[in-house]
Amino acid sequence: MLRAHGDLDQLQIVTDKPVPQATAGHVVIRVGASSFNYHDVFTVRGMPGIKVPLPVVIGLDLAGTISAIGDDVSGWKVGDRVLVNPLKPGVGLMGEMTDGGMAEYVAADARQLIRLPDAVTFEQAASLPVAYGTAHRMLITHRTVKAGDKVLILGASGGVGTACIILAKLLGAEVIACAGSDEKCARLKALGADHVVNYQTTDFSKWAIAQYGKPERRTYEGGVDVVINFTGGDTWVPSLRCLKRGGTLLVCGATAGYDPKEDLRYVWSFELNIRGSNSFYEEDLTALLDLIAAGKVDPLIDRAVPLDQAIEALAQIRDRTVLGKVVVTP
């Protein structure tokens, strides 16, 4: 539970919070697994323009079993296994505007429920919405990556980044994964990345140009086809610089700064496409569940911890010492 904004010491494990009741249109879920995102760090710190109604239980992503059903709920029964879309209609994100998944029980609007295939575990499902749902929409729903494309991914070791590697490889792309240590790079190579770049020691843009050639203005030679950049900040212009003529820069966030230096000369000279992708929708989540059930996708989970170790686990997300998702099992 978060009672005041600040550092992670503002979070507390509480044992006296009542189990939520199933009100009209809602169900109560016994949480099987929940997962952290860097968004949870932002929620704890406080975000400009977003007023979080404190106190609140954090955690956007969760899956579990229905334990109680309120009036006016049809199509569901106690015992059904579900994934919860974190966006509560008319309210906002769970774990931010209303209590989220870092608890034993949570109430959810029945409209948020997605049926969980038997072949998908709670841990796999809880890894999906924010990270994999965002990556799926950005790469697959928007049809921005195709077989044979050279795809450079910044921030590749986090939840969204590893999801992008997995999905880009599924699409048949050649993947260049950029991370901040040799250890992470080695693990991303094992995950399936064709090339890895430690951006702490190597300029990723210069590496791409050395590997594939300098982008040409009058031909389609040189450079990479797609750069996935949800960091922003100082990485923005270097991302433009290594894109081939007609290439695409995909953006779904700005963890290093939303107001970067711009250089429009690259945009017009190389006829670049900049494509934004906002969050995820139910169609993305159901498609991902089908891919997992078919054995085509398996979310990368760095570790699973019990609820009493959740604060320490979120600190590892904050400090960027994990690879992939961190799951909490109450």
Side-chain angles (χ1 to χ4, degrees):
M1 179 172 285
L2 176 68
R3 299 188 185 277
H5 292 302
D7 205 345
L8 301 192
D9 57 3
Q10 297 294 338
L11 288 170
Q12 291 180 315
I13 301 291
V14 300
T15 58
D16 57 351
K17 182 176 173 60
V19 174
Q21 300 300 302
T23 58
H26 289 68
V27 302
V28 176
I29 297 169
R30 176 63 170 97
V31 178
S34 184
S35 79
F36 278 125
N37 299 281
Y38 208 88
H39 188 99
D40 295 298
V41 176
F42 291 140
T43 298
V44 173
R45 291 174 177 169
M47 292 175 280
I50 298 178
K51 185 173 177 57
V52 176
L54 300 174
V56 68
V57 177
I58 67 170
L60 287 75
D61 295 340
L62 71 114
T65 305
I66 296 176
S67 63
I69 295 179
D71 295 336
D72 302 323
V73 174
S74 60
W76 299 99
K77 65 181 185 300
V78 171
D80 282 347
R81 301 170 71 248
V82 295
L83 170 64
V84 179
N85 184 331
L87 186 59
K88 184 172 184 177
V91 177
L93 288 172
M94 295 179 68
E96 183 180 277
M97 292 300 153
T98 184
D99 285 341
M102 293 295 159
E104 293 176 306
Y105 292 89
V106 64
D109 191 309
R111 292 173 292 177
Q112 296 174 258
L113 305 182
I114 301 172
R115 199 171 301 278
L116 204 58
D118 292 338
V120 180
T121 68
F122 290 138
E123 290 82 0
Q124 289 174 318
S127 300
L128 294 182
V130 172
Y132 283 76
T134 297
H136 184 277
R137 186 164 193 79
M138 186 164 53
L139 274 64
I140 296 178
T141 303
H142 289 325
R143 300 180 180 180
T144 54
V145 173
K146 63 184 184 300
D149 280 351
K150 302 175 184 68
V151 179
L152 187 147
I153 304 169
L154 298 175
S157 63
V160 177
T162 51
C164 286
I165 293 174
I166 291 170
L167 295 179
K169 290 303 298 178
L170 182 69
L171 293 168
E174 180 180 339
V175 171
I176 306 102
C178 302
S181 73
D182 290 339
E183 178 186 2
K184 287 181 178 179
C185 285
R187 294 179 66 186
L188 294 176
K189 185 82 170 178
L191 181 62
D194 298 283
H195 312 280
V196 290
V197 177
N198 182 343
Y199 61 76
Q200 296 285 4
T201 58
T202 303
D203 183 312
F204 72 86
S205 185
K206 291 181 179 179
W207 182 94
I209 291 171
Q211 178 77 11
Y212 300 110
K214 184 178 180 180
E216 299 292 336
R217 299 181 188 217
R218 297 294 180 181
T219 71
Y220 293 94
E221 296 177 353
V224 299
D225 298 278
V226 178
V227 174
I228 299 174
N229 184 329
F230 44 83
T231 56
D234 293 341
T235 66
W236 189 257
V237 171
S239 296
L240 299 173
R241 193 178 295 134
C242 65
L243 276 167
K244 69 183 299 181
R245 179 185 170 197
T248 301
L249 178 57
L250 300 179
V251 56
C252 65
T255 57
Y258 67 87
D259 188 21
K261 178 182 177 182
E262 183 61 275
D263 193 331
L264 295 176
R265 294 173 297 177
Y266 288 100
V267 178
W268 83 66
S269 296
F270 294 93
E271 300 179 331
L272 301 181
N273 305 289
I274 299 175
R275 181 66 187 267
S277 187
N278 182 27
S279 186
F280 50 87
Y281 290 77
E282 184 172 327
E283 62 186 295
D284 302 298
L285 302 182
T286 55
L288 285 163
L289 289 173
D290 290 342
L291 287 170
I292 295 174
K296 295 181 179 180
V297 167
D298 188 14
L300 179 64
I301 298 174
D302 187 282
R303 66 199 69 183
V305 301
L307 187 58
D308 60 7
Q309 296 177 21
I311 298 172
E312 292 85 349
L314 185 55
Q316 293 168 335
I317 297 284
R318 176 198 62 194
D319 298 338
R320 304 184 190 278
T321 61
V322 302
L323 195 80
K325 296 291 293 183
V326 172
V327 172
V328 175
T329 54

